[in-house]
Amino acid sequence: MRVSSISLPSIVVTALLGSALSSALSSSAFALELGGQVNLEHRQFVEKGAQGQQRQQSSIVVKPELYWSLMDGEASFTLTPFYRWDSLDKERSHGDIREALFLTYWDDYELRAGVGKVFWGVTESAHLVDIVNQTDAIESVDGEQKLGQPMLHFTAVKDWGTLDTLLLPYFRERTFAGEDGRLRPTLPVSADAIYESSKDQQHIDYALRYSVMLDDWDVGISYFQGTNRDPYFRVVGETNQLAIAPYYAQAKQVGVDLQGIVGDWLWKFEGIYRDSLDHHTGLVGGYEYTAVGVFDSIWDIGLIMEYLYDSRGANAQSVGQNDLFLGSRFVLNDEAGTEVLVGVTQDLDHSDVLSAKLEASSRLSNHLKWRLDAWLFENQTPNDLLYFARDDDFVEISLEYYF
């Protein structure tokens, strides 16, 4: 049973939280709220895995959230632990602290300290500029689930824009499926990561982001320096027991994100230049057009198109080096909040390489919600990054209880 991902060094969390919380909790005015969710989830794969893995995979997720309002509402503390038990993959049975975050604000400033999550990005098919938190890769295919990141986060909200400054004192290693798990590389991933920095996980990273609204456009410019969240891989081990070890190089990244509303059109763009073990430019951009009240109904239908580019081409460490994403979003605007998203990403260099997804959800009551996710992978190109997933088509149904 994997629990190592929850074991953040106590010295890091203590240093970030200690002084702030000691003064805040000494105040007699604080309120406590409890919420969260419990999920029952089942994945049914169409075929056995490329390494003979089972077709059924069930799991239980527990994600409570404790919220304290402190200092007469001028500060708060949020604690969000997370745990998943998985029937198939012991590496997917894992825990994490998604948030353990103290927040206070005064005038035009905000200060956050502890373990938190920061999201940067605007596009649908990929989030190139979203670099602060590490991906929890065993949680979802699209990489949108993130591990909690120890941080000191200062924000200045001014008339001329918003400036975020982040100090990141500890690095989180990416999670990977185990040997019995699905959606894993052909060779198992070693638990012993390799670092370019002699400080390993103790390397101190930092990030900056300036954002401003210019008429109908939201503009963001970001900079990151520290341990690359995207690992490279090296083959290690003996001939009959080979594995791949994640190699975390140092990186500098400049990012730009744009989002603009022009009538019924929502235009989106993300671009990065990253200087790491290799140097590359990545781009993703396109639009979402929303037709409101189609067929004289209350339904809204969005049409999405985005182009993805990576200057490394076939050597890219991520998908989307020359791909086209086409999708559609259906919003029923009913009391249950029913939404459906379908999308296909087609590799423009190889016609046989594509992936398709379906996401649907709706409320059953104030506390219950169902969710359906499905993925299809078509891939007959052995040197493609996602060739290992060619037998991993699946449907996942979830029942989520919110309290």
Side-chain angles (χ1 to χ4, degrees):
M1 183 177 297
R2 180 183 179 89
V3 295
S4 60
S5 61
I6 200 172
S7 301
L8 300 179
S10 59
I11 187 172
V12 173
V13 179
T14 301
L16 293 178
L17 291 176
S19 60
L21 279 178
S22 61
S23 60
L25 291 175
S26 64
S27 170
S28 60
F30 68 93
L32 175 64
E33 299 177 13
L34 173 64
Q37 65 185 94
V38 178
N39 301 352
L40 300 178
E41 302 177 0
H42 178 76
R43 285 182 177 180
Q44 184 65 44
F45 291 85
V46 177
E47 303 178 26
K48 283 190 174 183
Q51 291 78 37
Q53 303 100 312
Q54 297 178 18
R55 294 170 56 196
Q56 295 82 23
Q57 185 174 21
S58 301
S59 59
I60 300 173
V61 173
V62 180
K63 187 181 176 183
E65 180 176 301
L66 293 167
Y67 175 83
W68 287 269
S69 178
L70 307 165
M71 299 167 57
D72 296 322
E74 294 183 357
S76 65
F77 179 75
T78 303
L79 176 63
T80 309
F82 168 91
Y83 188 79
R84 175 186 294 276
W85 173 85
D86 190 87
S87 65
L88 178 64
D89 185 3
K90 65 180 182 180
E91 294 297 319
R92 200 166 185 249
S93 293
H94 72 300
D96 184 39
I97 300 296
R98 296 305 203 214
E99 276 191 302
L101 200 63
F102 172 79
L103 163 66
T104 186
Y105 58 89
W106 66 98
D107 298 330
D108 298 329
Y109 304 100
E110 299 174 357
L111 179 64
R112 296 171 175 84
V115 178
K117 292 200 294 183
V118 173
F119 173 75
W120 296 342
V122 295
T123 52
E124 179 68 41
S125 55
H127 303 301
L128 301 183
V129 301
D130 188 33
I131 195 172
V132 172
N133 288 80
Q134 177 61 274
T135 299
D136 194 347
I138 51 181
E139 282 301 303
S140 61
V141 178
D142 55 17
E144 293 191 353
Q145 299 298 318
K146 301 290 183 176
L147 298 172
Q149 171 64 50
M151 64 176 62
L152 188 63
H153 182 183
F154 177 76
T155 303
V157 183
K158 299 292 186 179
D159 294 337
W160 41 262
T162 301
L163 180 63
D164 289 285
T165 305
L166 296 99
L167 186 68
L168 312 170
Y170 182 77
F171 176 75
R172 306 296 311 280
E173 294 180 2
R174 183 168 295 188
T175 56
F176 296 97
E179 291 192 45
D180 297 326
R182 301 299 300 258
L183 295 159
R184 75 162 179 85
T186 303
L187 293 176
V189 180
S190 172
D192 298 321
I194 306 169
Y195 289 88
E196 178 181 357
S197 171
S198 60
K199 296 181 179 179
D200 295 342
Q201 291 179 279
Q202 308 296 333
H203 187 276
I204 297 178
D205 307 337
Y206 67 89
L208 305 168
R209 184 173 187 266
Y210 169 72
S211 59
V212 65
M213 177 171 284
L214 302 174
D215 295 327
D216 296 326
W217 291 86
D218 290 317
V219 181
I221 303 172
S222 56
Y223 178 78
F224 169 87
Q225 183 168 326
T227 306
N228 196 339
R229 271 52 180 161
D230 294 329
Y232 299 89
F233 294 98
R234 294 180 174 179
V235 178
V236 297
E238 303 296 333
T239 303
N240 58 345
Q241 290 184 329
L242 293 177
I244 54 176
Y247 176 75
Y248 294 102
Q250 291 296 291
K252 298 176 183 178
Q253 176 176 303
V254 178
V256 176
D257 57 274
L258 305 172
Q259 182 170 257
I261 300 175
V262 183
D264 295 329
W265 298 79
L266 181 61
W267 294 91
K268 307 176 183 182
F269 172 83
E270 293 184 32
I272 63 168
Y273 172 75
R274 183 182 295 172
D275 179 2
S276 188
L277 191 62
D278 52 20
H279 314 276
H280 79 281
T281 300
L283 307 172
V284 55
Y287 66 81
E288 180 170 355
Y289 172 78
T290 301
V292 179
V294 295
F295 310 123
D296 295 323
S297 70
I298 60 173
W299 292 14
D300 298 338
I301 297 180
L303 303 176
I304 308 169
M305 183 174 73
E306 295 178 354
Y307 173 69
L308 301 94
Y309 169 79
D310 191 307
S311 62
R312 295 171 292 182
N315 295 321
Q317 297 293 306
S318 58
V319 297
Q321 75 279 6
N322 183 28
D323 292 30
L324 184 66
F325 174 81
L326 298 174
S328 187
R329 191 191 315 274
F330 302 87
V331 181
L332 274 59
N333 291 313
D334 56 352
E335 291 185 5
T338 306
E339 293 189 13
V340 179
L341 173 68
V342 293
V344 177
T345 301
Q346 174 66 59
D347 190 312
L348 299 180
D349 295 321
H350 304 281
S351 60
D352 63 298
V353 177
L354 66 86
S355 61
K357 68 176 180 178
L358 166 67
E359 300 175 357
S361 64
S362 184
R363 289 193 304 271
L364 297 172
S365 69
N366 290 335
H367 297 284
L368 280 177
K369 183 177 184 178
W370 64 263
R371 184 181 302 276
L372 178 69
D373 295 282
W375 281 86
L376 179 146
F377 303 96
E378 178 66 30
N379 200 314
Q380 301 300 323
T381 303
N383 64 347
D384 186 79
L385 190 64
L386 288 180
Y387 181 70
F388 69 83
R390 62 195 181 278
D391 296 326
D392 283 331
D393 303 345
F394 72 89
V395 177
E396 179 178 81
I397 184 70
S398 305
L399 184 63
E400 304 174 353
Y401 175 73
Y402 294 84
F403 56 92

